[in-house]
Amino acid sequence: MHPSATPLLDTNLLLEDLHSRTEQAVLLHTHLPVTGERLCIAAAGIHKLRRELAHVPKVVDRLRRAPLDSDAAGLIMLANLAGHNGPLREDLRQIRIAQVALTKSPLPGWILVSVPLRRLPGAPVIPGAEPRVIASVSILAPAQAHGNHVVAYGRLMRNVTHAATESSVAITRSRIAAA
């Protein structure tokens, strides 16, 4: 995870929950500040795509690691990492407002729908590190899943990631109080 992050208590549970609700592959990406790239650090439901992915190793590499501005997983982080006072490209401004990004996936015939995953409130922050967004959660969905499905995926991911963050904060606070 990004050095400014205190991770959720169980990111695998979050990914598995989203996978079970959508029946789509779910990816967790973080950003590498030194290189300006996003890196896939966890996934759920990817087993359903293994046969398709086996024939396209370059696509697998691109899903694993790519520049922040290459797809939804990176763009959602880029939109939220950019300073709030400075100018912002129009596409990034729209992504920041919506708190969801949608692009084609590196896997032909698929799209990525991504939302930001925020740092837990109260987590230690390294000076100069972005304190708010630590990762992105993405659903890899068939390209024909436009319209209502995409909107529903975005809303579901925003709600579930927010609830997971809030639950992690409440549990952490009660553990600290008990200690």
Side-chain angles (χ1 to χ4, degrees), residues 47-106:
H47 61 279
K48 291 182 178 181
L49 299 172
R50 287 215 173 148
R51 187 173 303 155
E52 200 168 335
L53 292 172
H55 302 292
V56 286
K58 288 183 181 181
V59 169
V60 173
D61 291 342
R62 193 76 170 169
L63 280 170
R64 186 175 296 127
R65 186 176 186 154
L68 281 175
D69 62 356
S70 66
D71 58 32
L75 287 170
I76 194 71
M77 287 187 281
L78 190 58
N80 285 281
L81 290 171
H84 286 273
N85 297 330
L88 194 61
R89 287 185 347 216
E90 182 58 25
D91 62 332
L92 295 177
R93 190 179 74 74
Q94 292 297 325
I95 290 169
R96 183 185 287 171
I97 290 168
Q99 290 299 291
V100 65
L102 168 67
T103 63
K104 291 181 181 177
S105 163

Side-chain angles (χ1 to χ4, degrees), residues 1 29 37 46 65 67 73 90 119 142 146 152 166-167:
M1 293 296 274
H29 290 90
E37 295 175 310
I46 206 79
R65 186 176 186 154
E90 182 58 25
R119 175 184 64 88
H146 286 294
E166 292 299 314
S167 297

Side-chain angles (χ1 to χ4, degrees), residues 20 54 77 84 107 125 133 135-136 150 159 166:
S20 70
M77 287 187 281
H84 286 273
L107 184 61
V125 178
V133 172
S136 65
V150 172
N159 292 339
E166 292 299 314

Side-chain angles (χ1 to χ4, degrees), residues 88-157:
L88 194 61
R89 287 185 347 216
E90 182 58 25
D91 62 332
L92 295 177
R93 190 179 74 74
Q94 292 297 325
I95 290 169
R96 183 185 287 171
I97 290 168
Q99 290 299 291
V100 65
L102 168 67
T103 63
K104 291 181 181 177
S105 163
L107 184 61
W110 294 80
I111 59 172
L112 281 171
V113 183
S114 304
V115 299
L117 182 60
R118 300 191 185 291
R119 175 184 64 88
L120 294 180
V125 178
I126 294 172
E130 170 54 46
R132 295 182 56 203
V133 172
I134 58 168
S136 65
V137 177
S138 305
I139 289 179
L140 184 61
Q144 66 267 22
H146 286 294
N148 292 338
H149 279 70
V150 172
V151 171
Y153 289 156
R155 284 186 185 142
L156 174 67
M157 286 191 304

